[in-house]
Amino acid sequence: MSLTLAARTQHMTSSAIREILKLTERPGVLSLAGGLPSPDSFPLDALAQASERVWRTQGAQAMQYANSEGLMPLRDWIARRVSLPHWQVEPEQVLVTTGSQQGLDLLGKVLLDPGSEVLVEQPTYLGALQAFSAYEPAYRPWLADAQGPDPQALQPRNAMNESVRAAYLVPSFQNPTGHAIDADRRAAIAAALRAHRVTLIEDNPYGELWYDAPPPAPIAASAPHQTVYLGSLSKVLAPGLRIGYVVTPPDEAPGALALRARLLQAKQASDLHTPGFNQRLVLQLLADGFDLDAHVVSVRQRYKAQRDAMAQALTRHLPEGCIWQIPQGGMFFWVQGPDGFDAAASLPDAVEQGVAYVPGSAFYVDATLASRQQMRLSFVTLSVAQIHDAVVRLAEHLRREGRRSC
Ligand SMILES: Cc1ncc(COP(=O)(O)O)c(C=O)c1O
């Protein structure tokens, strides 16, 4: 058989995280690599009861095709959940997606032409790069200082008033760095978006996972006409449900209705709709009185303990020359290893020694020398005791590598 693949497949990358996850399925490996929510946090009993009720009372509807926008009661609930006093979201603005990952793909499909410039933080969420890359954009690294991405980067770059097609940000507890952008910088970015009419894709799966203080309001709240906002139930309820959402700008924003219509067409072409059973399951769970806010509080408590355990283990065991900060939320520590450490090259050895991480270079569009030393460590999947053991193994690995590079 002669098979010719589309040229665009050259731009698709397989997720380094998924490839590593395969390796770490080996017994005995303590993986700090995957961003998998703690399975102990899933409300399995409540889900089982709600699921049984969906089968009994709406089985046939749940097994039927559904509309592409998502079930109206769910869109309505999402709109109310994300709304703030100064940012009122209408259900019509909400598109239910099969995970927020699908939202990223749909946005790539409707916003990006080959060569379109997209501004991305360095490092940034690998899955967004994967989603956008199939549409062949030209990535522009979004330069940052200690407060986060520089709003100046949103200015038109030439006399023709050309600016980037879209900018992508995870402002709260970013994947991979765990960094949160403060209120002043968010306000400055919102002002620049409004002034220069750049479209922001604001991806916020971690905003509710804060451990010290809640993050500032989303940028969408200050620049609603310029921002397409993505959210997800993956980190606060269960990722296997695959319930995410895109909030498009309000009706009166220029281009909002066209964007909404095109996203819907793209969604129809992609999967017709997000599984109706899963949408009904979430609605039934809520109708049964499941208190999602209280559940999120319990997830926060669990993850805060795990974060603190990792901070303590890193402080106690990592060799000199390692740099990290304690993340105020989310799921990850971002660690820079000592001089000479090459996280990607030495990963197979680390796995051999029973510990895995994600090398930092995977999250860059222009990996620099410094990025070679970096790695992402998840603190949510393993127990407190396992986190300690994993960090001890990682510290051993870094020491061995240090001796090797001397
Ligand atoms: C920043 C970010 N965006 C989006 C996603 C995708 O989440 P989901 O498709 O499960 O909603 C993830 C998953 O890890 C993520 O870290």
Side-chain angles (χ1 to χ4, degrees):
M1 183 178 73
S2 122
L3 178 75
T4 308
L5 294 176
R8 93 176 61 81
T9 58
Q10 303 295 320
H11 302 272
M12 295 176 176
T13 50
S14 78
S15 158
I17 301 179
R18 300 235 169 278
E19 295 302 313
I20 295 160
L21 277 176
K22 280 188 215 153
L23 281 178
T24 59
E25 278 159 18
R26 284 193 216 156
V29 176
L30 293 174
S31 177
L32 302 169
L36 307 182
S38 166
D40 297 335
S41 74
F42 305 151
L44 294 183
D45 289 343
L47 283 165
Q49 276 166 25
S51 169
E52 209 262 323
R53 223 181 297 251
V54 172
W55 277 122
R56 245 186 317 109
T57 61
Q58 337 163 32
Q61 292 139 293
M63 289 298 103
Q64 188 51 281
Y65 283 118
N67 67 4
S68 304
E69 292 90 340
L71 299 182
M72 197 34 138
L74 185 60
R75 296 168 75 199
D76 186 51
W77 176 79
I78 291 167
R80 281 184 281 116
R81 194 166 169 81
V82 293
S83 284
L84 295 169
H86 59 298
W87 181 39
Q88 287 300 311
V89 171
E90 300 298 329
E92 291 71 23
Q93 290 173 250
V94 177
L95 175 68
V96 176
T97 54
T98 305
S100 51
Q101 188 65 32
Q102 184 185 45
L104 292 168
D105 179 52
L106 301 181
L107 285 164
K109 206 176 212 174
V110 305
L111 290 177
L112 305 179
D113 291 312
S116 297
E117 285 203 358
V118 180
L119 206 53
V120 289
E121 289 169 284
Q122 292 292 280
T124 192
Y125 171 50
L126 182 59
L129 297 178
Q130 270 193 293
F132 300 152
S133 289
Y135 305 104
E136 305 174 52
Y139 291 115
R140 189 137 74 83
W142 193 342
L143 298 181
D145 57 25
Q147 269 62 55
D150 182 357
Q152 300 272 346
L154 296 167
Q155 284 182 359
R157 283 169 303 106
N158 56 28
M160 308 289 287
N161 237 11
E162 275 175 31
S163 52
V164 293
R165 180 74 60 88
Y168 170 73
L169 267 190
V170 184
S172 295
F173 318 126
Q174 199 233 28
N175 179 1
T177 61
H179 182 258
I181 301 175
D182 69 18
D184 288 350
R185 180 55 59 92
R186 286 179 199 227
I189 291 172
L193 290 169
R194 289 194 305 268
H196 306 303
R197 297 173 191 278
V198 172
T199 300
L200 175 70
I201 299 170
E202 180 175 23
D203 189 5
N204 189 24
Y206 302 109
E208 292 190 78
L209 297 182
W210 50 267
Y211 311 126
D212 304 306
I219 295 171
S222 309
H225 288 198
Q226 280 72 40
T227 307
V228 186
Y229 178 86
L230 277 76
S232 174
L233 295 188
S234 289
K235 319 295 182 193
V236 291
L237 192 57
L241 291 169
R242 308 307 300 131
I243 302 285
Y245 47 90
V246 177
V247 177
T248 49
D251 292 10
E252 65 277 15
L257 297 179
L259 172 67
R260 225 175 280 170
R262 295 301 184 199
L263 280 173
L264 191 61
Q265 288 166 345
K267 165 92 179 150
Q268 283 163 349
S270 171
D271 66 353
L272 295 181
H273 63 81
T274 294
F277 184 89
N278 298 15
Q279 296 186 59
R280 286 174 195 274
L281 177 52
V282 171
L283 287 168
Q284 186 66 54
L285 190 73
L286 299 167
D288 289 349
F290 179 79
D291 185 343
L292 184 58
D293 289 330
H295 177 68
V296 173
V297 171
S298 74
V299 175
R300 279 206 289 265
Q301 280 165 354
R302 174 187 295 277
Y303 288 173
K304 183 180 194 307
Q306 286 166 256
R307 179 205 61 173
D308 291 347
M310 185 170 276
Q312 203 176 45
L314 293 175
T315 308
R316 199 169 287 171
H317 299 290
L318 283 201
E320 231 168 88
C322 294
I323 302 171
W324 73 91
Q325 284 179 345
I326 299 178
Q328 310 291 294
M331 309 201 328
F332 308 109
F333 275 76
W334 184 243
V335 177
Q336 180 166 324
D339 284 348
F341 174 64
D342 188 328
S346 74
L347 180 60
D349 279 350
V351 173
E352 211 45 53
Q353 302 306 317
V355 65
Y357 52 79
V358 185
S361 50
F363 301 93
Y364 285 80
V365 292
D366 66 342
T368 57
L369 213 52
S371 67
R372 282 213 213 152
Q373 284 169 243
Q374 297 168 329
M375 60 194 141
R376 190 193 76 179
L377 310 180
S378 161
F379 56 85
V380 297
T381 318
L382 300 182
S383 67
V384 164
Q386 288 172 320
I387 287 171
H388 175 265
D389 292 350
V391 171
V392 168
R393 289 181 194 180
L394 179 65
E396 281 289 304
H397 172 66
L398 289 170
R399 282 202 187 84
R400 240 186 340 265
E401 287 297 305
R403 282 194 292 274
R404 202 170 294 178
S405 67
C406 286

